[in-house]
Coordinates of all heavy atoms in Angstrom, one line a residue:
F31 N 112.9 89.1 93.2 CA 113.8 90.0 93.8 C 113.6 90.1 95.3 O 112.5 90.0 95.7 CB 113.6 91.4 93.1 CG 114.5 92.5 93.7 CD1 115.8 92.6 93.3 CD2 114.0 93.3 94.7 CE1 116.6 93.6 93.8 CE2 114.8 94.3 95.2 CZ 116.1 94.5 94.8
S32 N 114.6 90.3 96.0 CA 114.5 90.5 97.4 C 115.6 91.5 97.9 O 116.7 91.5 97.4 CB 114.7 89.2 98.2 OG 114.6 89.5 99.6
A33 N 115.1 92.4 98.8 CA 116.1 93.4 99.4 C 116.4 92.9 100.8 O 116.0 91.8 101.2 CB 115.5 94.8 99.4
Q34 N 117.1 93.8 101.5 CA 117.5 93.4 102.9 C 116.3 93.3 103.9 O 116.5 92.9 105.0 CB 118.5 94.5 103.4 CG 119.8 94.4 102.7 CD 120.5 93.1 103.0 OE1 120.5 92.6 104.1 NE2 121.0 92.5 101.9
D35 N 115.1 93.6 103.5 CA 114.0 93.6 104.4 C 113.4 92.2 104.5 O 112.5 91.9 105.3 CB 112.9 94.6 104.0 CG 112.4 94.4 102.5 OD1 112.8 93.4 101.9 OD2 111.6 95.2 102.1
G36 N 113.8 91.2 103.7 CA 113.3 89.8 103.8 C 112.0 89.6 103.0 O 111.4 88.6 103.2
I37 N 111.6 90.5 102.1 CA 110.4 90.3 101.4 C 110.8 89.9 100.0 O 111.6 90.5 99.3 CB 109.6 91.7 101.3 CG1 109.1 92.0 102.8 CG2 108.4 91.5 100.4 CD1 108.5 93.4 102.8
L38 N 110.2 88.8 99.6 CA 110.4 88.3 98.2 C 109.3 88.9 97.3 O 108.1 88.8 97.6 CB 110.2 86.7 98.2 CG 110.3 86.1 96.8 CD1 111.7 86.2 96.3 CD2 109.9 84.6 96.9
L39 N 109.8 89.6 96.2 CA 108.9 90.3 95.3 C 109.0 89.6 93.9 O 110.0 89.1 93.5 CB 109.4 91.8 95.2 CG 109.4 92.6 96.5 CD1 110.0 93.9 96.2 CD2 107.9 92.8 96.9
F40 N 107.9 89.7 93.2 CA 107.8 89.2 91.8 C 107.5 90.4 90.9 O 106.5 91.1 91.2 CB 106.8 88.1 91.7 CG 106.6 87.7 90.2 CD1 107.6 87.0 89.6 CD2 105.4 88.0 89.6 CE1 107.4 86.6 88.2 CE2 105.2 87.6 88.3 CZ 106.2 86.9 87.6
Y41 N 108.3 90.7 90.0 CA 108.1 91.8 89.0 C 107.6 91.1 87.7 O 108.4 90.4 87.1 CB 109.4 92.6 88.7 CG 109.8 93.5 89.8 CD1 110.4 93.0 90.9 CD2 109.5 94.8 89.7 CE1 110.8 93.9 91.9 CE2 109.9 95.7 90.7 CZ 110.5 95.2 91.8 OH 110.9 96.1 92.8
H42 N 106.4 91.3 87.3 CA 105.9 90.8 86.1 C 106.0 92.0 85.1 O 105.4 93.0 85.2 CB 104.4 90.4 86.2 CG 103.8 89.8 85.0 ND1 103.0 90.5 84.2 CD2 104.0 88.6 84.4 CE1 102.7 89.8 83.1 NE2 103.3 88.6 83.2
I43 N 106.9 91.8 84.1 CA 107.2 92.8 83.1 C 106.7 92.4 81.8 O 106.9 91.3 81.3 CB 108.8 93.0 83.0 CG1 109.3 93.4 84.4 CG2 109.1 94.1 82.0 CD1 110.8 93.3 84.5
R44 N 105.9 93.3 81.2 CA 105.3 93.1 79.9 C 105.5 94.4 79.1 O 104.9 95.4 79.5 CB 103.9 92.6 79.9 CG 103.3 92.5 78.6 CD 102.0 91.7 78.5 NE 102.5 90.3 78.5 CZ 101.7 89.3 78.9 NH1 100.5 89.5 79.3 NH2 102.2 88.1 78.9
D45 N 106.2 94.4 78.0 CA 106.5 95.5 77.2 C 107.0 96.7 78.1 O 108.1 96.4 78.7 CB 105.2 96.0 76.5 CG 104.7 94.9 75.5 OD1 105.5 94.3 74.9 OD2 103.5 94.8 75.4
L46 N 106.4 97.8 78.1 CA 106.9 98.9 78.9 C 106.2 99.0 80.3 O 106.4 100.0 81.0 CB 106.8 100.2 78.2 CG 107.6 100.3 76.9 CD1 107.3 101.6 76.1 CD2 109.1 100.1 77.2
Q47 N 105.4 98.1 80.6 CA 104.6 98.1 81.9 C 105.1 97.0 82.8 O 105.6 95.9 82.3 CB 103.1 98.0 81.7 CG 102.6 99.1 80.8 CD 101.1 99.0 80.7 OE1 100.5 98.0 81.0 NE2 100.5 100.1 80.2
Y48 N 104.9 97.2 84.1 CA 105.3 96.1 85.1 C 104.3 96.2 86.2 O 103.6 97.2 86.5 CB 106.7 96.3 85.6 CG 107.0 97.5 86.4 CD1 106.9 97.5 87.8 CD2 107.3 98.7 85.8 CE1 107.1 98.6 88.5 CE2 107.5 99.8 86.6 CZ 107.4 99.8 87.9 OH 107.7 100.9 88.7
E49 N 104.2 95.0 86.9 CA 103.4 94.9 88.1 C 104.2 94.2 89.2 O 105.0 93.3 88.9 CB 102.2 94.0 87.7 CG 101.3 93.7 88.9 CD 100.1 92.7 88.5 OE1 99.9 92.6 87.3 OE2 99.5 92.1 89.4
I50 N 104.1 94.7 90.4 CA 104.9 94.2 91.5 C 103.9 93.4 92.4 O 102.9 93.9 92.8 CB 105.6 95.3 92.3 CG1 106.5 96.1 91.4 CG2 106.3 94.7 93.5 CD1 107.1 97.3 92.1
K51 N 104.4 92.2 92.8 CA 103.6 91.3 93.7 C 104.5 90.9 94.9 O 105.6 90.5 94.6 CB 103.0 90.1 93.0 CG 102.3 89.1 93.9 CD 101.9 87.9 93.1 CE 101.3 86.9 94.1 NZ 101.2 85.6 93.4
V52 N 104.0 91.1 96.1 CA 104.7 90.5 97.3 C 104.4 89.1 97.4 O 103.2 88.7 97.5 CB 104.3 91.3 98.5 CG1 104.9 90.7 99.8 CG2 104.6 92.8 98.5
C53 N 105.4 88.2 97.3 CA 105.2 86.8 97.4 C 105.3 86.2 98.8 O 104.5 85.3 99.2 CB 106.2 86.1 96.5 SG 106.1 86.5 94.8
A54 N 106.3 86.7 99.5 CA 106.5 86.1 100.9 C 107.3 87.1 101.7 O 108.1 87.9 101.2 CB 107.3 84.8 100.8
D55 N 107.1 87.1 103.0 CA 107.8 87.9 103.9 C 108.4 87.0 105.0 O 107.7 86.5 105.8 CB 106.9 89.0 104.6 CG 107.7 89.9 105.5 OD1 108.9 89.7 105.7 OD2 107.0 90.8 106.0
I56 N 109.7 86.8 105.0 CA 110.4 85.9 106.0 C 111.0 86.7 107.1 O 111.6 86.2 108.0 CB 111.3 84.9 105.3 CG1 112.5 85.6 104.6 CG2 110.6 84.0 104.4 CD1 113.6 84.7 104.2
S57 N 111.0 88.0 107.0 CA 111.5 89.0 108.1 C 112.9 88.8 108.4 O 113.3 89.0 109.5 CB 110.6 88.8 109.3 OG 109.2 89.1 109.0
Q58 N 113.7 88.3 107.5 CA 115.1 88.1 107.6 C 115.8 88.5 106.3 O 115.3 88.2 105.2 CB 115.5 86.7 108.0 CG 115.0 86.2 109.3 CD 115.4 84.8 109.5 OE1 116.5 84.3 109.1 NE2 114.6 84.0 110.3
P59 N 116.9 89.2 106.3 CA 117.6 89.5 105.1 C 117.9 88.3 104.2 O 118.4 87.3 104.8 CB 118.9 90.2 105.5 CG 118.6 90.7 106.9 CD 117.6 89.7 107.5
I60 N 117.6 88.3 103.0 CA 117.8 87.2 102.0 C 119.1 87.4 101.3 O 119.3 88.5 100.7 CB 116.6 87.0 101.1 CG1 115.3 86.7 101.8 CG2 116.9 85.9 100.0 CD1 114.1 86.7 101.0
S61 N 120.0 86.5 101.4 CA 121.3 86.7 100.8 C 121.4 86.1 99.4 O 122.2 86.6 98.6 CB 122.5 86.1 101.7 OG 122.2 84.7 101.9
S62 N 120.6 85.1 99.1 CA 120.6 84.6 97.7 C 119.3 83.8 97.4 O 118.6 83.3 98.3 CB 121.8 83.7 97.5 OG 121.8 82.5 98.2
L63 N 119.0 83.8 96.1 CA 117.8 83.1 95.6 C 118.3 82.1 94.6 O 119.2 82.4 93.7 CB 116.9 84.1 94.9 CG 116.4 85.3 95.6 CD1 115.6 86.2 94.7 CD2 115.5 84.9 96.8
M64 N 117.8 80.9 94.6 CA 118.2 79.9 93.6 C 117.0 79.0 93.2 O 116.4 78.4 94.0 CB 119.3 79.0 94.2 CG 119.9 78.0 93.3 SD 120.8 78.7 91.9 CE 122.0 79.7 92.8
F65 N 116.7 79.0 91.9 CA 115.7 78.1 91.4 C 116.1 76.7 91.2 O 117.3 76.4 90.9 CB 115.2 78.6 90.0 CG 114.0 79.5 90.0 CD1 114.2 80.9 89.8 CD2 112.8 79.1 90.3 CE1 113.1 81.7 89.8 CE2 111.7 79.9 90.4 CZ 111.8 81.2 90.1
S66 N 115.2 75.8 91.5 CA 115.4 74.4 91.2 C 115.5 74.2 89.7 O 115.1 75.0 88.9 CB 114.3 73.5 91.8 OG 113.0 73.8 91.1
P67 N 116.1 73.1 89.2 CA 116.3 72.9 87.8 C 115.0 72.9 87.0 O 115.0 73.3 85.9 CB 117.0 71.5 87.7 CG 117.6 71.3 89.0 CD 116.8 72.0 90.0
D68 N 113.9 72.5 87.6 CA 112.6 72.5 86.9 C 111.8 73.7 87.2 O 110.6 73.9 86.8 CB 111.8 71.2 87.3 CG 111.4 71.2 88.8 OD1 111.8 72.1 89.5 OD2 110.8 70.2 89.2
F69 N 112.4 74.7 87.9 CA 111.8 76.0 88.2 C 110.5 75.9 89.1 O 109.7 76.8 89.1 CB 111.5 76.8 86.9 CG 112.7 77.2 86.2 CD1 113.1 76.5 85.1 CD2 113.5 78.2 86.6 CE1 114.3 76.8 84.4 CE2 114.7 78.5 86.0 CZ 115.1 77.8 84.8
A70 N 110.3 74.7 89.7 CA 109.1 74.5 90.6 C 109.3 75.1 92.0 O 108.4 75.5 92.7 CB 108.8 73.0 90.7
S71 N 110.6 75.2 92.4 CA 110.9 75.8 93.8 C 112.0 76.8 93.7 O 112.8 76.7 92.9 CB 111.3 74.6 94.7 OG 110.3 73.7 94.9
L72 N 111.9 77.7 94.7 CA 112.9 78.7 94.8 C 113.5 78.6 96.2 O 112.7 78.6 97.2 CB 112.3 80.1 94.6 CG 113.1 81.3 94.6 CD1 114.1 81.3 93.4 CD2 112.3 82.6 94.4
L73 N 114.8 78.5 96.3 CA 115.5 78.5 97.7 C 115.8 79.9 98.0 O 116.3 80.7 97.2 CB 116.8 77.7 97.6 CG 116.7 76.2 97.6 CD1 118.1 75.6 97.6 CD2 115.9 75.6 98.8
L74 N 115.5 80.3 99.3 CA 115.8 81.6 99.8 C 116.8 81.4 101.0 O 116.5 80.8 102.0 CB 114.6 82.3 100.4 CG 113.3 82.3 99.5 CD1 112.1 82.8 100.2 CD2 113.6 83.1 98.2
V75 N 118.0 81.8 100.8 CA 119.1 81.6 101.8 C 119.2 83.0 102.5 O 119.3 84.0 101.9 CB 120.4 81.3 101.1 CG1 121.5 81.1 102.2 CG2 120.3 80.0 100.3
T76 N 119.1 82.9 103.9 CA 119.1 84.1 104.7 C 120.5 84.4 105.3 O 121.3 83.4 105.4 CB 118.1 84.0 105.8 OG1 118.5 83.1 106.8 CG2 116.7 83.7 105.3
D77 N 120.7 85.6 105.7 CA 121.9 86.0 106.4 C 122.0 85.4 107.8 O 123.1 85.3 108.3 CB 122.0 87.5 106.5 CG 122.3 88.2 105.1 OD1 122.8 87.5 104.2 OD2 122.1 89.4 105.0
Q78 N 120.9 85.1 108.4 CA 120.8 84.7 109.8 C 120.8 83.2 110.0 O 120.7 82.7 111.1 CB 119.6 85.3 110.4 CG 119.8 86.8 110.4 CD 118.5 87.5 110.9 OE1 117.5 86.9 111.2 NE2 118.6 88.8 111.0
G79 N 120.9 82.4 108.9 CA 120.9 80.9 109.1 C 119.9 80.1 108.3 O 120.3 79.2 107.5
P80 N 118.6 80.3 108.5 CA 117.7 79.4 107.8 C 117.6 79.5 106.3 O 118.0 80.5 105.7 CB 116.3 79.9 108.4 CG 116.6 80.6 109.7 CD 118.0 81.2 109.4
V81 N 117.2 78.4 105.7 CA 116.9 78.4 104.3 C 115.4 78.1 104.1 O 114.9 77.2 104.8 CB 117.8 77.3 103.6 CG1 117.4 77.1 102.1 CG2 119.3 77.6 103.7
Y82 N 114.8 78.8 103.2 CA 113.4 78.7 103.0 C 113.1 78.2 101.6 O 113.9 78.4 100.7 CB 112.6 80.0 103.2 CG 112.6 80.5 104.6 CD1 113.7 81.2 105.1 CD2 111.5 80.3 105.4 CE1 113.7 81.6 106.5 CE2 111.5 80.8 106.7 CZ 112.6 81.4 107.2 OH 112.6 81.9 108.5
S83 N 111.9 77.6 101.3 CA 111.5 77.2 100.0 C 110.2 78.0 99.7 O 109.3 78.1 100.5 CB 111.2 75.7 100.0 OG 110.7 75.4 98.7
Y84 N 110.2 78.5 98.4 CA 108.9 79.1 97.9 C 108.6 78.5 96.6 O 109.4 78.3 95.7 CB 109.2 80.6 97.7 CG 108.0 81.3 97.2 CD1 106.9 81.6 97.9 CD2 107.9 81.7 95.8 CE1 105.8 82.2 97.4 CE2 106.8 82.3 95.3 CZ 105.8 82.6 96.1 OH 104.7 83.2 95.5
K85 N 107.3 78.1 96.5 CA 106.8 77.4 95.2 C 106.0 78.4 94.5 O 104.8 78.7 94.8 CB 106.1 76.2 95.5 CG 107.0 75.2 96.2 CD 106.4 73.8 96.3 CE 107.4 72.9 97.1 NZ 107.4 71.6 96.7
P86 N 106.5 79.0 93.4 CA 105.8 80.1 92.7 C 104.4 79.6 92.2 O 103.5 80.4 92.2 CB 106.7 80.4 91.5 CG 108.1 80.0 92.0 CD 107.9 78.9 92.9
A87 N 104.3 78.4 91.7 CA 103.0 77.9 91.2 C 101.9 77.9 92.3 O 100.7 78.0 92.0 CB 103.2 76.5 90.6
H88 N 102.3 77.7 93.5 CA 101.3 77.6 94.6 C 101.0 78.9 95.3 O 100.1 79.1 96.0 CB 101.8 76.6 95.7 CG 101.9 75.2 95.1 ND1 103.1 74.6 95.0 CD2 101.0 74.4 94.6 CE1 103.0 73.4 94.5 NE2 101.7 73.2 94.2
S89 N 101.9 79.9 95.0 CA 101.7 81.3 95.6 C 101.4 81.3 97.1 O 100.6 82.1 97.5 CB 100.6 82.0 94.8 OG 101.0 82.2 93.5
G90 N 102.0 80.4 97.8 CA 101.8 80.4 99.2 C 103.0 81.0 100.0 O 103.7 81.8 99.4
E91 N 103.1 80.8 101.2 CA 104.1 81.3 102.1 C 105.4 80.5 101.9 O 105.4 79.4 101.5 CB 103.7 81.3 103.5 CG 102.7 82.3 103.9 CD 103.2 83.7 103.8 OE1 104.3 84.0 104.3 OE2 102.5 84.5 103.2
A92 N 106.5 81.2 102.2 CA 107.8 80.5 102.2 C 107.8 79.6 103.4 O 107.4 79.9 104.5 CB 108.9 81.5 102.2
V93 N 108.4 78.4 103.2 CA 108.4 77.3 104.2 C 109.9 77.2 104.6 O 110.8 77.0 103.8 CB 107.9 76.0 103.7 CG1 108.0 74.9 104.7 CG2 106.4 76.2 103.3
K94 N 110.1 77.2 105.9 CA 111.5 77.0 106.4 C 111.9 75.5 106.2 O 111.2 74.6 106.7 CB 111.6 77.3 107.9 CG 113.1 77.3 108.4 CD 113.2 77.4 109.9 CE 112.9 78.8 110.4 NZ 113.2 79.0 111.8
L95 N 113.0 75.3 105.5 CA 113.4 73.9 105.2 C 114.6 73.5 106.1 O 114.6 72.4 106.6 CB 114.0 73.8 103.8 CG 113.0 74.0 102.6 CD1 113.7 74.0 101.3 CD2 111.9 72.9 102.7
L96 N 115.5 74.4 106.3 CA 116.8 74.1 107.0 C 117.1 75.2 108.0 O 116.8 76.3 107.7 CB 117.9 74.0 106.0 CG 117.7 73.1 104.8 CD1 118.9 73.3 103.8 CD2 117.5 71.7 105.1
D97 N 117.7 74.8 109.0 CA 118.2 75.8 110.0 C 119.5 75.3 110.5 O 119.8 74.1 110.6 CB 117.2 76.0 111.1 CG 117.3 77.4 111.8 OD1 118.3 78.0 111.6 OD2 116.4 77.7 112.5
T98 N 120.4 76.2 110.9 CA 121.7 75.8 111.5 C 121.9 76.5 112.8 O 121.4 77.6 113.0 CB 122.8 76.2 110.5 OG1 124.0 75.8 111.1 CG2 122.9 77.7 110.2
C99 N 122.5 75.8 113.7 CA 122.8 76.3 115.0 C 124.2 76.8 115.2 O 124.5 77.8 115.9 CB 122.5 75.3 116.1 SG 120.8 74.7 116.1
S100 N 125.1 76.1 114.5 CA 126.5 76.4 114.7 C 127.1 77.6 113.9 O 127.9 78.3 114.3 CB 127.4 75.2 114.5 OG 127.2 74.7 113.1
S101 N 126.5 77.7 112.7 CA 127.1 78.7 111.8 C 126.0 79.0 110.7 O 125.2 78.2 110.4 CB 128.3 78.2 111.1 OG 128.9 79.1 110.2
C102 N 126.0 80.2 110.2 CA 125.0 80.6 109.2 C 125.4 80.0 107.8 O 126.5 79.9 107.5 CB 125.0 82.1 109.1 SG 124.3 82.9 110.5
F103 N 124.3 79.7 107.1 CA 124.5 79.2 105.7 C 125.0 80.4 104.9 O 124.5 81.5 105.0 CB 123.2 78.8 105.1 CG 122.7 77.5 105.6 CD1 121.5 77.4 106.3 CD2 123.4 76.3 105.4 CE1 121.0 76.2 106.8 CE2 123.0 75.1 105.9 CZ 121.8 75.0 106.6
L104 N 126.0 80.1 104.1 CA 126.5 81.1 103.2 C 125.9 81.0 101.8 O 125.6 82.0 101.2 CB 128.1 81.0 103.0 CG 128.8 82.0 102.3 CD1 128.6 83.4 102.9 CD2 130.3 81.7 102.2
A105 N 125.6 79.8 101.4 CA 125.0 79.5 100.1 C 124.4 78.1 100.1 O 124.7 77.3 100.9 CB 126.0 79.6 99.0
A106 N 123.4 77.9 99.3 CA 122.7 76.6 99.1 C 122.3 76.5 97.6 O 122.0 77.6 97.0 CB 121.5 76.5 100.0
D107 N 122.2 75.3 97.1 CA 121.8 75.1 95.7 C 121.2 73.7 95.6 O 121.5 72.8 96.4 CB 122.9 75.3 94.8 CG 122.5 75.5 93.3 OD1 121.2 75.4 93.1 OD2 123.3 75.6 92.5

Side-chain angles (χ1 to χ4, degrees):
F31 176 82
S32 178
Q34 290 297 316
D35 56 6
I37 296 174
L38 178 65
L39 301 170
F40 174 69
Y41 286 80
H42 183 255
I43 303 167
R44 174 163 281 159
D45 298 323
L46 297 176
Q47 298 183 349
Y48 67 93
E49 178 184 343
I50 301 172
K51 176 186 172 190
V52 174
C53 298
D55 181 357
I56 60 171
S57 301
Q58 296 180 29
I60 297 170
S61 58
S62 65
L63 306 171
M64 185 64 60
F65 265 107
S66 63
D68 62 2
F69 297 100
S71 296
L72 184 63
L73 285 182
L74 312 172
V75 181
T76 70
D77 288 342
Q78 298 173 355
V81 174
Y82 293 82
S83 173
Y84 177 77
K85 298 190 181 214
H88 297 115
S89 297
E91 285 296 310
V93 176
K94 186 188 289 187
L95 294 176
L96 313 172
D97 205 345
T98 182
C99 298
S100 60
S101 180
C102 292
F103 288 116
L104 187 58
D107 197 358

